[in-house]
Amino acid sequence: MSNQKIVIGILANAGGVGKTTLAVHLAYEICKRGQTVALIDLDPQRALDVFCGLPSAEAENSVVQVLGKDFDGNWPLVQAWSNPNIEVCQGHPSMAQVANDLVIRRRGEYVLADRLKAYPLRHDVIILDCPATIGIICENAIAASTGLLVPIQLEMKSVSGVADLVEWLIGIADDLMLDPHPPILGLIPSLYDNTRAIHRQYLQQLPEVAEQLRVKLYPQIRDSSEFKNASANGLPIQKYRPAHSACKDFKTIADDIVTLVRKGKL
């Protein structure tokens, strides 16, 4: 088996589309399959703290330190849910300032990729929870990733904008001269409510959209109040309500990523 790490960037061009929900539950599901996972919070909103039940970290114990000029390879990682096989590099509000600094630094778009190369993490899978705004932090995520996932909310703005987002992702990979490009592993309909006609309508349209973009379409992740209840308790739904049917929503994606881990490459 290759030692190549699987780095999954989760990107969207809007907030509230379920990026952190996907990141957290995917991490837990992958860990259940015997893999070690690191979650890196690149979002100044640091939603991972809430979802993982973690107290806020100071900047020097967060991803801010990792992207700083004097980083020495001592990754600031903390366990999630007392599980030694899932660790989190926490975010911090000053990531907005970090983004401004990266713009004027040499290899500013490649800092995270450079860190992961110079100081590799021990984990089998690294998941990047990205900010909602497109910018240099997301470009860092693209440069560091070996594959990308794109959650889509079943609303007009998200569905109509997905082609533009995919085009942007490919364009950034071109501009950064990434070789190979991180493939878009799939589109993931999120926050799906089958009682809403508009959601059913957009869900029916997505296979054609995905085919035109030549991107895999994963099964939808439902909108459930239990996700909010679980995150309010700092737990993934698999621990909060292990018998809930929503736990199965992440199975196909996790299976695909674990298959990639076992192959040792994307």
Side-chain angles (χ1 to χ4, degrees):
M1 178 183 296
S2 164
N3 290 324
Q4 181 183 359
K5 303 295 183 181
I6 303 297
V7 184
I8 305 295
I10 299 177
L11 293 107
N13 56 357
V17 302
K19 292 191 302 297
T20 305
T21 297
L22 175 61
V24 166
H25 293 87
L26 195 55
Y28 189 84
E29 201 66 24
I30 292 170
C31 188
K32 280 174 57 181
R33 288 157 171 75
Q35 310 300 320
T36 55
V37 183
L39 284 159
I40 298 179
D41 194 348
L42 297 173
D43 191 342
Q45 302 295 325
R46 53 182 175 190
L48 276 180
D49 288 0
V50 176
F51 281 71
C52 296
L54 298 171
S56 299
E58 299 295 330
E60 60 268 27
N61 294 318
S62 76
V63 71
V64 170
Q65 174 67 16
V66 175
L67 299 179
K69 291 182 177 178
D70 57 351
F71 182 60
D72 61 2
N74 185 24
W75 287 85
L77 296 169
V78 294
Q79 287 184 16
W81 315 302
S82 302
N83 186 332
N85 290 325
I86 305 178
E87 293 185 298
V88 180
C89 182
Q90 295 178 260
H92 193 273
S94 61
M95 281 293 288
Q97 181 59 48
V98 172
N100 292 335
D101 294 341
L102 290 175
V103 169
I104 59 175
R105 278 171 57 180
R106 290 182 179 177
R107 293 184 61 81
E109 297 90 347
Y110 304 92
V111 173
L112 181 59
D114 291 345
R115 297 293 188 255
L116 289 169
K117 182 177 181 181
Y119 308 108
L121 291 166
R122 66 175 180 88
H123 309 77
D124 301 305
V125 179
I126 299 159
I127 296 175
L128 310 177
D129 189 20
C130 298
T133 54
I134 289 173
I136 196 166
I137 298 297
C138 286
E139 293 174 10
N140 264 263
I142 294 167
S145 294
T146 58
L148 306 171
L149 290 173
V150 178
I152 305 172
Q153 193 172 7
L154 292 162
E155 305 289 349
M156 182 178 68
K157 181 179 178 182
S158 293
V159 174
S160 63
V162 67
D164 291 338
L165 177 59
V166 168
E167 183 178 350
W168 182 81
L169 294 172
I170 294 171
I172 292 297
D174 282 340
D175 291 345
L176 298 179
M177 301 180 70
L178 301 180
D179 185 20
H181 280 202
I184 299 173
L185 303 178
L187 309 177
I188 305 168
S190 62
L191 300 171
Y192 174 67
D193 181 351
N194 65 5
T195 68
R196 297 183 62 184
I198 192 68
H199 281 199
R200 297 196 300 273
Q201 177 183 330
Y202 281 131
L203 191 65
Q204 290 175 350
Q205 294 174 3
L206 275 181
E208 182 178 349
V209 172
E211 183 176 3
Q212 289 174 350
L213 296 172
R214 299 180 181 179
V215 176
K216 180 173 182 174
L217 179 64
Y218 277 106
Q220 64 272 18
I221 295 171
R222 74 195 70 189
D223 183 16
S224 170
S225 60
E226 292 293 10
F227 284 126
K228 296 182 178 67
N229 295 335
S231 64
N233 285 276
L235 295 170
I237 197 171
Q238 297 100 325
K239 284 179 71 71
Y240 182 72
R241 289 282 186 271
H244 196 283
S245 54
C247 296
K248 300 176 182 177
D249 290 0
F250 306 92
K251 180 179 183 302
T252 304
I253 312 171
D255 285 344
D256 280 0
I257 292 176
V258 171
T259 296
L260 294 171
V261 173
R262 290 172 177 160
K263 286 181 178 177
K265 61 181 180 180
L266 280 172

